[in-house]
Amino acid sequence: SGDGTGFYAWSRQSAASYHAYQDVADLGAISRASATPVAGTFHVLRGGSGYSNARVAAACWGAGLSAAEISALRNALHDYLAAIGAAS
């Protein structure tokens, strides 16, 4: 949508690259070798010592998902959020 809203996902199933998704559209493979994660805490909507006032309905981490699994996750989250009145 261009305004930062929607469903964004990144899935690594290869040591050499990962795929980026916006909603259910596969934006393609991005070549970047995997590396050991830096030790520390991972924050959502935080940069440096400040926090954003943006909203996030859901955030999750896990194993590399296929395109079909990304689509199923997006659709399940959308259906849930729509059912509780948090999405249209």
Side-chain angles (χ1 to χ4, degrees):
S1 63
D3 63 0
T5 62
F7 177 83
Y8 293 86
W10 300 266
S11 181
R12 180 180 292 279
Q13 293 183 318
S14 160
S17 65
Y18 63 91
H19 278 254
Y21 297 85
Q22 182 176 3
D23 292 312
V24 295
D26 185 346
L27 303 178
I30 297 166
S31 295
R32 180 149 319 138
S34 62
T36 303
V38 175
T41 305
F42 187 87
H43 298 276
V44 175
L45 296 178
R46 181 176 182 198
S49 61
Y51 289 88
S52 169
N53 63 355
R55 298 180 299 163
V56 171
C60 57
W61 288 259
L65 300 178
S66 68
E69 291 167 327
I70 291 284
S71 181
L73 174 60
R74 184 261 179 214
N75 291 337
L77 283 170
H78 178 269
D79 291 350
Y80 168 73
L81 292 170
I84 64 169
S88 55

